[in-house]
Amino acid sequence: MPLACILIFQCAIKTKDMKRNYILVIVLAIVFGAAAAYFTTDRMLKKSADRISVVRNDSSGITRSVNLSADDYPDFTFAAESAVEAVVSVTVVKRSETYVPSGILGLFFGYGQTVPREQIGSGSGVIITPDGYILTNNHVVEGATEIEVTMNDNTTYSADLIGTDPATDVAVIKVDGESLPTIPVADSDNLRIGEWVLAIGSPYQLQSTITAGIVSAKGRKMPNYTGEFRIESFIQTDAAVNPGNSGGALVDKTGALVGINTAIISETGAYSGYSFAIPSNMAMEVADDIIQYGSVHRASLGIVMQNIDKNFSSQLKLSSEDGVYITGVVPGGNADKAGIRAGDVLLKIGSEPARDAEAVRELISSYRQGEKVDVTVSRRGRELVMEVVFAER
C-alpha cells in the first residue's frame, strides 16, 4: 500500500498543474487509506471469528475444543419463531362431587347432599404430528373430564386423552386437526452440559412465553417420597419455568425438541433457579407406544436390586462398589431364564454401566418386548455375560 502511494505521488509531480496535483494526491491518499483500514479490519474480524481454542487434558488424554466464532454466539430468534407455533396451552377441567352434611343432623346421622365441584388447571403441550397428537405431562391431564387446547394463533380445540404413563409423567392427547405445525425432534443424548436451550410454554396462562438458559446437568433424579415406580433421567436447566410450563417444549438453538418441561425445585412453588425436563428420546418412546397401543409396553428384567455403598460392600466382602447388588430374582422372569441369580452383582446392560438402581430402571425401560441384550454380572468375583430376551413387563 505505501508503494502504491509513492507511485501515485511521482506520477502527480510530473504534471504541470501543481495545485491539481496536490489535491489529487490528498484524495487518493484518503481513498487508499480507507481501503487499507477496511481490509485490515475485515481480516482481523475474520481471523477472530475463525479462532478456535483447544484445551488438552493430559492426565486423561481427552482433548476438548471450543469454537469461539461469532456464529456460535446465541441467536434464539429462529428457534423461538419456528418452535413456538407447535407449543400449545392446555386447559383442564376436573369435575367431581363433594358430600356436604346438613347441620348437626348431617354430622351425626349422615344427612346431607352431594355438591358438584369443578377444578380448572392449566399446562402446556407440544404438537408432535400434523394430524393433532400432542405430548404433555401426565400430571397436567390426570383426572381430567374435559381438555381444551389453545394454539399459538388462539385457535381452540377440544382434545381427547389417548393415554398416560405415570412412571415417566408423559401423556398424549389428540385434537382433530390437519397440517398442524410440529417441532423436529433432536437426539437428547447428544445434549452437552452448558449448551443453550429455550423453554416454551404458558406459565400463569401467559401463552407462548419463551425463556432461555443452559443445560446445567443431565440424568437428574427427583426425591421419591411415595415409593411409586418411576423412571427419571431429567435434563436440568436454569431456564425459567413456572406453573403452567409443564408439558411445554425444551428446544435447542436450532428449534429442535430436546425435552418436555416437567418440574421445578422450589420452596415457594415458583421458579427459583432450577427446572427439569424429560429427555425427548424417553418422551417420544413413551408417546410412540401410547399412540400405537394405548399404553406403554415396557420391558422388565425381573430382579430385586439394591445400591452398593462402602458399608454394604464391606459387609458382603465384595471386591468393589461397582454395579448394583441383586437381592432377588423373579421366578420364571427374564433374568431367571437367562441364568442370573440372587447374589450376583449387575455390572452392565449392553455396553452401559449399571451405576445405580435408578440407572438400571432407565436402561431397561429403553428396551421393548422381544429385544435381546447382553447383561454382565459378577458372581464370586468372576464376570459372566448372559443374553437376556425381554418379555413385556
Side-chain angles (χ1 to χ4, degrees), residues 137-261:
N137 284 143
N138 172 65
H139 75 261
V140 170
V141 296
E142 188 175 19
T145 52
E146 289 183 17
I147 305 173
E148 184 180 82
V149 168
T150 304
M151 304 291 175
N152 186 53
D153 62 0
N154 290 322
T155 304
T156 60
Y157 293 87
S158 177
D160 296 320
L161 179 61
I162 303 301
T164 66
D165 181 44
T168 56
D169 198 18
V170 170
V172 177
I173 58 178
K174 174 74 166 61
V175 299
D176 291 329
E178 295 180 357
S179 302
L180 297 177
T182 61
I183 295 180
V185 181
D187 185 348
S188 54
D189 289 342
N190 292 334
L191 271 181
R192 297 180 64 185
I193 305 301
E195 186 173 340
W196 282 100
V197 286
L198 300 180
I200 308 177
S202 302
Y204 302 120
Q205 298 183 339
L206 299 172
Q207 190 174 337
S208 304
T209 295
I210 302 172
T211 57
I214 63 168
V215 177
S216 306
K218 296 170 63 177
R220 288 294 199 206
K221 316 295 179 186
M222 300 287 281
N224 187 350
Y225 301 113
T226 63
E228 296 175 346
F229 175 70
R230 293 183 182 176
I231 299 171
E232 297 177 338
S233 183
F234 291 120
I235 301 166
Q236 179 183 328
T237 79
D238 63 351
V241 168
N242 279 293
N245 270 113
S246 292
L250 187 74
V251 302
D252 62 20
K253 64 181 182 179
T254 69
L257 185 71
V258 293
I260 299 296
N261 298 313

Side-chain angles (χ1 to χ4, degrees), residues 52 71 77 119-120 136 148 172 182 195 293 295 310 362:
I52 295 179
D71 292 340
T77 54
Q119 291 179 293
I120 299 178
T136 186
E148 184 180 82
V172 177
T182 61
E195 186 173 340
Y293 306 111
S295 61
K310 187 175 182 179
E362 180 192 346

Side-chain angles (χ1 to χ4, degrees), residues 15-343:
T15 61
K16 297 180 179 179
D17 192 338
M18 295 301 294
K19 184 176 181 180
R20 182 180 298 175
N21 291 345
Y22 287 128
I23 295 173
L24 178 62
V25 170
I26 293 171
V27 170
L28 290 175
I30 293 173
V31 170
F32 278 97
Y38 173 82
F39 179 79
T40 304
T41 304
D42 183 62
R43 293 286 294 177
M44 290 176 64
L45 287 173
K46 286 183 177 179
K47 186 176 181 180
S48 175
D50 295 335
R51 188 174 68 249
I52 295 179
S53 174
V54 178
V55 179
R56 179 178 297 277
N57 186 336
D58 294 328
S59 61
S60 63
I62 298 175
T63 302
R64 304 184 187 278
S65 63
V66 56
N67 190 340
L68 301 178
S69 69
D71 292 340
D72 277 354
Y73 286 93
D75 179 357
F76 301 132
T77 54
F78 174 81
E81 291 169 355
S82 58
V84 72
E85 297 297 328
V87 180
V88 301
S89 175
V90 179
T91 302
V92 173
V93 178
K94 301 178 183 180
R95 292 191 176 91
S96 60
E97 292 184 341
T98 302
Y99 173 78
V100 178
S102 298
I104 296 177
L105 291 177
L107 290 174
F108 291 98
F109 300 103
Y111 292 105
Q113 59 182 345
T114 56
V115 177
R117 183 183 178 189
E118 184 176 279
Q119 291 179 293
I120 299 178
S122 64
S124 303
V126 182
I127 307 172
I128 55 175
T129 65
D131 59 344
Y133 282 101
I134 297 172
L135 196 57
T136 186
N137 284 143
N138 172 65
H139 75 261
V140 170
V141 296
E142 188 175 19
T145 52
E146 289 183 17
I147 305 173
E148 184 180 82
V149 168
T150 304
M151 304 291 175
N152 186 53
D153 62 0
N154 290 322
T155 304
T156 60
Y157 293 87
S158 177
D160 296 320
L161 179 61
I162 303 301
T164 66
D165 181 44
T168 56
D169 198 18
V170 170
V172 177
I173 58 178
K174 174 74 166 61
V175 299
D176 291 329
E178 295 180 357
S179 302
L180 297 177
T182 61
I183 295 180
V185 181
D187 185 348
S188 54
D189 289 342
N190 292 334
L191 271 181
R192 297 180 64 185
I193 305 301
E195 186 173 340
W196 282 100
V197 286
L198 300 180
I200 308 177
S202 302
Y204 302 120
Q205 298 183 339
L206 299 172
Q207 190 174 337
S208 304
T209 295
I210 302 172
T211 57
I214 63 168
V215 177
S216 306
K218 296 170 63 177
R220 288 294 199 206
K221 316 295 179 186
M222 300 287 281
N224 187 350
Y225 301 113
T226 63
E228 296 175 346
F229 175 70
R230 293 183 182 176
I231 299 171
E232 297 177 338
S233 183
F234 291 120
I235 301 166
Q236 179 183 328
T237 79
D238 63 351
V241 168
N242 279 293
N245 270 113
S246 292
L250 187 74
V251 302
D252 62 20
K253 64 181 182 179
T254 69
L257 185 71
V258 293
I260 299 296
N261 298 313
T262 298
I264 58 176
I265 289 182
S266 171
E267 295 181 357
T268 64
Y271 173 74
S272 60
Y274 304 103
S275 55
F276 301 86
I278 303 166
S280 58
N281 289 0
M282 180 186 294
M284 290 303 296
E285 283 182 1
V286 172
D288 289 343
D289 265 11
I290 291 175
I291 293 171
Q292 186 172 356
Y293 306 111
S295 61
V296 180
H297 287 202
R298 185 170 286 120
S300 172
L301 188 56
I303 62 172
V304 181
M305 52 190 167
Q306 178 176 337
N307 290 330
I308 300 174
D309 57 21
K310 187 175 182 179
N311 291 334
F312 188 81
S313 177
S314 177
Q315 290 174 5
L316 295 184
K317 298 181 180 179
L318 301 176
S319 58
S320 73
E321 299 172 26
D322 296 334
V324 295
Y325 187 78
I326 299 174
T327 59
V329 176
V330 177
N334 301 328
D336 186 30
K337 291 177 181 178
I340 297 173
R341 300 289 177 257

